[in-house]
Structure formats: C-alpha cells, structure tokens
Amino acid sequence: MEHQSEGSQATTKIIIVDDDQFQLKLLSHQLSMVGYKNVVAFDDGQTALDHMAGQVLDSTIVILDLNMPNMDGLEFLQKLQETEFTGALLLVSGEDERVVQSAEALASSYNLWVLGHLNKPVQQEQLQKYLKQLDAQKEKSLVGEKEHSYEAARLKQAIESGELSNFYQPKVLLDTGELVGVEALVRWEHPEDGLILPDHFIDLAEENELIDSIAQQVLSSALSDSKLWKEAGINITVAVNISMYNLNTRDFISYLEKELLASGINPQDLILEVTESKLMKDYSLVLDMLTRLRLRRVNLSIDDFGTGHSSMTQLRDIPFNELKIDRGFVHSACDNATLHGIFDGSIQLAKNLGIKTVAEGVENEADWSFLDGSGCDLAQGFFIGKPMRALELREWKTQWAERYEQIAI
Ligand code: C2E
Ligand code: CA
Ligand code: CA
C-alpha cells in the first residue's frame, strides 16, 4: 500500500471508540498501513473519555462508532463537548446516510470539528481521503485569519474615513459561461489588520446603526464602478447586499433613486440581494419598500435561500425575481443525496414561480459539473472567480473565457 509522502502521521494521535472488537482491530490495522502508529482503541465510550481527561488533545482524531450499547455515539458527543477537546472527529455507522448526517450536524452544533463520516465496513480509500483532508485543513487554519473584534466607534471612523471598499464576484450563465453580473461584497481595508471580511463587522454595524451608511457607500461605489465597466464595454448587472434592517426607514428609497439618476445606470441593471435581519422591526414597511422598488424595475433577489434566514413566507410576500441557492446546498451536493434533493427542489420551486436561479458557492470542478443539466441559470463561486477589485474584472473576464473553453459542460 502506498504511504503518504508527507503528513502528520507521526504527530497525530488516533482514538477509536467502537464496541465491536473486530472493527477495532480492522481499523487499527488500516491506520497502521498508512503510517499512523499512535492509535488507541476503546470498546466503551466512558473508558475513552476517562483516558482523554486531562490530556492535551489538539492533534487527535476520534473515530467514533454511533451505535454502541452502553454509551451511544450521541451521548459521547454530548460529553465530549463539555471537555476542552479541540481535535477532529470521524463518525462511523452502519445506519442510513440521513441518520449519520444528523449526527454530524449535531456534533457541529456543539462546535466540534467533524471531518466527515464513514460507512461500515470502512473503506481504506475513504479513510485516507479524510486523513488527507485533516492535513489540508490544519495548514489552512495555521495561515487562517485571526479573530478580530472591533469597537463600534472604530468602525464608524473607518466608514467615515473611507476604509471600506467594494470587491466584486462574477456571476456567469451556466449555458454559455458568459459574464452577466457581479455581486458587490464589502471589505474593510484596516490599516493595521489588513483586509477584514464582512462577517467581522456587519453584525456590529447593524447593532450600532451603522449599517445604513455602509449600504449607502456600497451602493454608490457599485453604481460608479458599473458606469466604468459600461464605458469599457462590459455590460453587466451589479448586485448589492441589503439587510432588511436597511429598509426600516423610507430614506433608503430616496437615496437609491437619487444615486441611480446621478449614475445613469438603469434600475434593471441593479439587483438588491435581500437577507433577513435579526433586528427587523416593521415587516409591513419592508414589504412596502421592496414592492415599490420592484415597481421601479429594480431586481430583487432572495439571498441564502434554504437557510433559516430566508423563508417561504418571504417568497410568498415579496416580488423576488431571483433566487440564490445558499452555498450550503450547492457545494458538495454532488455526493450528498439530501443536499441534491434540496437543490433540485429549490430549482423546481423557482421555475414554478418564474424566478431566475443562481447557485452560489461553486467551489470546485465537481460542484461545477453537478450544475450541468440541473436547470439552474447562473453560477457564482471561487471556482469561477474570487471576489476582486473593480479594476481586475476585465483581466478576469479574458482569463475566464479561455478557461471556459476547457471546462465547458
Ligand atoms: P453572501 O451574500 O452569501 O455572499 C457570498 C459569500 O460567500 C461571500 O463572503 C463570498 O466571498 C463567499 N463565497 C463566494 N464564493 C464562494 C465559494 O465558492 N466558497 C465559499 N466557501 N465561499 C464563497 P463574504 O464576502 O465574506 O461575505 C459574507 C457575507 O457578508 C455575505 O454573504 C453577505 O451576507 C454579507 N455582506 C457582504 N457585503 C455586504 C454588504 O455590503 N452589506 C451587507 N448588509 N452585508 C454584506
Ligand atoms: Ca449575497
Ligand atoms: Ca450565502
């Protein structure tokens, strides 16, 4: 059997918890074949937890059987989250796929790090795939972002002094690969901390009434960048993310109309990607504003469709003409029957309502091929293009045209 040339075999500890003695032996053997020698096995959850107590276990993988007589896998997970465990988990079961997926979701909800799940009998290939993934993710987390936390006053200053800027991610037609639009994604160019992603400051902005000024800046830049692209012969739509919180006052519409007029951009070329806000106060006002915007030919897109933040009620009430399927249902849907089902259902639903569909989070070639023949209209994701500065779009477009020739589906 082939040995992995590099990896963390020597430094990784593996703990197997399974009541079946044969499985324990088999797995230990499979692991030692690929160079993992630091393997301990337990046929009972409590004994494993006792062993783990008081140890530093960050380079540890626990391979856990879900079906055990004394303490079952779910109880083990619950106990594990009460410890300081920071290693990774692999779940093993002979149960059907949906049950294992639920266990995986449960573990994630405990903030446990789950590499994935294995079906019994465990295939060597599958096991190795996950162990390799561990190395890759470790590397990523070493170079990953630091946790940032900012004061509202500092964010306010950043907005006022122009430290925010727009990046743009391409949206392409699945049929032809043609670039038809971009989505504006805000970034904070922090003088000391570098480029800060919106997840680190959007909530803060909402809680401190700074989200309106962010929306205004993002919208204005998006429209002026659109104008520059048009002058360069690139005729595309531009999408801006709007939290429902932005629609708590009527000022937003008048601001938007003024900006559209000043830029000369057609309302048809603007898309508002709407996400629900935790802080939404007045649903009637939101409905009123969005309907009004649609009457003025601005496009409305329901963002993160399928997640808790975006419901059927909204689809019923708000005149959306685009639906963005959340990346949670796109990425890896090719080898997950549940995701596949939800994805197909969303496309069908949109078709029934006469709404355009966008698949977001198309991250690799497998995701891209999955969309072939799916009936989805547009695709967006790292595989096609990462968010970039306005000036980089033209260069990307040329490169994409060449790449599309090779990957055309
Ligand atoms: P979103 O609207 O769902 O935007 C897509 C996010 O997914 C972006 O993250 C984008 O960089 C990321 N993404 C794109 N392709 C891929 C992929 O293939 N794989 C993966 N894993 N991720 C991908 P970003 O820029 O960090 O934005 C995060 C969220 O912040 C956005 O999610 C949006 O809800 C919010 N946001 C961004 N800009 C604004 C803004 O101007 N105003 C408001 N209110 N929210 C914004
Ligand atoms: Ca969006
Ligand atoms: Ca999303």
Side-chain angles (χ1 to χ4, degrees):
M1 195 146 310
E2 174 212 0
H3 269 249
Q4 285 162 296
S5 55
E6 52 193 285
S8 49
Q9 285 95 330
T11 51
T12 302
K13 172 175 180 150
I14 300 189
I15 299 174
I16 313 173
V17 191
D18 195 322
D19 61 301
D20 180 343
Q21 294 293 340
F22 175 71
Q23 274 296 329
L24 287 180
K25 287 216 181 73
L26 185 66
L27 258 175
S28 305
H29 177 69
Q30 284 176 311
L31 287 163
S32 93
M33 294 290 282
V34 283
Y36 291 86
K37 304 289 184 199
N38 190 0
V39 179
V40 282
F42 298 93
D43 61 4
D44 172 81
Q46 191 55 55
T47 328
L49 286 168
D50 292 344
H51 166 84
M52 291 166 75
Q55 293 195 35
V56 181
L57 293 168
D58 52 353
S59 286
T60 301
I61 306 173
V62 173
I63 303 183
L64 174 69
D65 179 28
L66 292 176
N67 313 70
M68 294 186 291
N70 297 328
M71 178 190 288
D72 69 21
L74 299 189
E75 195 181 340
F76 182 90
L77 289 174
Q78 193 209 328
K79 294 238 156 73
L80 189 64
Q81 65 133 357
E82 292 161 4
T83 71
E84 307 273 279
F85 184 69
T86 50
L89 275 161
L90 262 175
L91 306 180
V92 189
S93 173
E95 292 299 322
D96 85 72
E97 189 80 4
R98 295 291 308 277
V99 175
V100 193
Q101 278 166 13
S102 302
E104 218 179 305
L106 176 70
S108 302
S109 80
Y110 290 149
N111 285 323
L112 293 167
W113 176 21
V114 190
L115 288 173
H117 62 263
L118 297 162
N119 298 316
K120 279 185 180 178
V122 173
Q123 307 289 321
Q124 184 76 19
E125 221 171 66
Q126 230 192 347
L127 181 64
Q128 252 182 302
K129 183 184 104 185
Y130 286 125
L131 295 171
K132 275 192 188 144
Q133 223 176 64
L134 175 78
D135 286 341
Q137 292 193 9
K138 257 197 189 151
E139 234 160 74
K140 221 165 48 186
S141 67
L142 285 178
V143 294
E145 275 186 281
K146 284 187 287 173
E147 260 312 306
H148 293 293
S149 145
Y150 299 100
E151 299 283 332
R154 178 65 188 85
L155 179 59
K156 185 162 189 278
Q157 185 206 337
I159 298 168
E160 283 162 3
S161 61
E163 287 175 16
L164 299 194
S165 43
N166 283 8
F167 275 51
Y168 297 95
Q169 189 177 33
K171 284 158 116 171
V172 302
L173 270 181
L174 271 157
D175 278 350
T176 61
E178 189 195 346
L179 170 72
V180 288
V182 289
E183 175 181 3
L185 294 158
V186 68
R187 266 95 184 97
W188 176 0
E189 304 198 63
H190 194 289
E192 282 96 42
D193 297 345
L195 210 60
I196 311 294
L197 294 175
D199 286 341
H200 296 283
F201 59 88
I202 291 292
D203 280 353
L204 182 71
E206 282 201 358
E207 286 154 15
N208 293 279
E209 309 206 338
L210 296 169
I211 197 72
D212 285 336
S213 26
I214 293 183
Q216 293 187 354
Q217 281 194 9
V218 171
L219 180 74
S220 303
S221 310
L223 292 176
S224 58
D225 287 334
S226 286
K227 207 170 150 193
L228 294 177
W229 290 320
K230 279 213 164 44
E231 283 161 10
I234 303 180
N235 287 299
I236 52 174
T237 60
V238 67
V240 169
N241 287 285
I242 295 294
S243 123
M244 284 196 182
Y245 189 78
N246 290 128
L247 304 169
N248 276 339
T249 99
R250 290 188 189 274
D251 299 347
F252 182 74
I253 291 207
S254 38
Y255 182 81
L256 190 139
E257 286 190 320
K258 210 176 68 214
E259 289 292 299
L260 272 175
L261 211 61
S263 67
I265 299 291
N266 287 327
Q268 290 98 311
D269 290 334
L270 176 66
I271 301 172
L272 300 180
E273 294 190 6
V274 185
T275 44
E276 200 174 46
S277 163
K278 284 169 245 160
L279 299 176
M280 185 175 53
K281 287 180 222 140
D282 184 350
Y283 192 56
S284 317
L285 183 59
V286 168
L287 277 186
D288 173 310
M289 301 257 289
L290 288 174
T291 310
R292 223 169 263 256
L293 284 164
R294 192 68 202 102
L295 283 170
R296 285 168 172 69
R297 303 278 180 270
V298 172
N299 301 286
L300 301 178
S301 179
I302 182 163
D303 210 349
D304 301 332
F305 186 75
T307 68
H309 297 297
S310 139
S311 69
M312 292 288 179
T313 313
Q314 286 172 35
L315 207 50
R316 183 196 63 196
D317 296 340
I318 301 171
F320 288 112
N321 53 342
E322 181 183 273
L323 180 151
K324 293 192 86 173
I325 305 176
D326 190 70
R327 69 164 179 267
F329 303 107
V330 175
H331 174 53
S332 296
C334 54
D335 47 35
N336 182 319
T338 308
L339 298 185
H340 197 150
I342 296 174
F343 181 89
D344 285 348
S346 308
I347 299 281
Q348 202 49 53
L349 175 64
K351 279 202 188 315
N352 293 344
L353 300 174
I355 295 177
K356 237 190 334 205
T357 43
V358 186
E360 57 172 36
V362 180
E363 208 169 290
N364 53 40
E365 188 144 15
D367 296 341
W368 172 258
S369 313
F370 167 73
L371 299 173
D372 183 17
S374 68
C376 185
D377 300 306
L378 301 173
Q380 180 183 349
F382 293 164
F383 178 73
I384 300 153
K386 295 210 163 142
M388 63 192 88
R389 292 175 197 276
L391 283 172
E392 294 168 311
L393 191 69
R394 196 214 272 258
E395 169 82 13
W396 171 86
K397 194 170 180 265
T398 314
Q399 285 171 0
W400 168 249
E402 286 166 16
R403 240 180 92 216
Y404 183 77
E405 291 295 307
Q406 267 124 48
I407 56 165
I409 45 180

